[in-house]
Amino acid sequence: MIRASVSQWLCLPNDTPTAYFHTPAAASGLGIPSFRWIAPLLRRNRIRSWLLTPNPDANNNNMIADVTQQCIAAELATWEKRLRYEGTQLNNIEQICKKWTKSLSDTIEGRSLSRSSDVTGQHSWVVDGLSLLSGKDYLQCHRIRTGALPTRSRTTRDRHADRSCRAGCNAQETNNHVLQCCPRSHAARILMTRCSTTSRYVSDGRASRLPESWLYQHQPARGSQT
């Protein structure tokens, strides 16, 4: 239910990998805790802490102590079993996060994000929210991040259909091609266009959450002399 609600809020496709929701934000996910793994971990830790607490009644009665130990051992084994994943015991939050990160990198959508955790600062916009992004831009960023743009490679997945670029390029229409290689999107990629867009964003007052002490000056574009 949580994933369905978040997917609806972010307008993500139905086939978005489950790992994207639960992988930490610094590792290319959304950082939503998974009750499937967090609940057993908390339950197991509580049982272990209870074992370390002395019980005066049990110490005075061997029968009570034996029955108590048997019940606790059975309960502990149940929750330990629920924390096993592919033969590995997940004993803490860090191991659970690594499990989700690996699961995301094993998917088609997350394969290109497998090394993105090396630079955690690039994911700050996920948790910062709308500090520098409009709601529409925030949703679009998630679509790009998960490879959910309606490219031909995405819309024809698992089907035999034409995947060539609609701009007439001799290449498949993938996210990487559209964002980095396609001549049709070249103008939006060149450095001056990026700088001009950023400058207009700031000078037009849309960056209202930036410090008021900053001075904004927009230099008009001039044609080349050659």
Side-chain angles (χ1 to χ4, degrees), residues 25-41:
S28 307
L30 293 177
I32 301 174
S34 172
F35 291 157
R36 161 63 182 86
W37 297 101
I38 298 299
L41 179 64

Side-chain angles (χ1 to χ4, degrees), residues 187-198:
R189 294 196 310 268
I190 60 177
L191 181 61
M192 290 305 298
T193 302
R194 292 176 180 175
C195 292
S196 299
T197 302
T198 304

Side-chain angles (χ1 to χ4, degrees), residues 119-138:
V119 185
T120 57
Q122 64 178 313
H123 305 291
S124 60
W125 63 271
V126 177
V127 294
D128 288 345
L130 305 180
S131 58
L132 290 176
L133 291 172
S134 64
K136 180 180 179 180
D137 291 340
Y138 186 78

Side-chain angles (χ1 to χ4, degrees), residues 178-191:
V178 173
L179 298 176
Q180 301 293 336
C181 306
C182 185
R184 181 173 290 181
S185 59
H186 174 74
R189 294 196 310 268
I190 60 177
L191 181 61

Side-chain angles (χ1 to χ4, degrees), residues 193-206 216-219:
T193 302
R194 292 176 180 175
C195 292
S196 299
T197 302
T198 304
S199 177
R200 286 196 301 270
Y201 176 85
V202 174
S203 62
D204 291 347
R206 284 177 284 180
Y216 311 121
Q217 292 182 346
H218 180 69
Q219 181 178 0

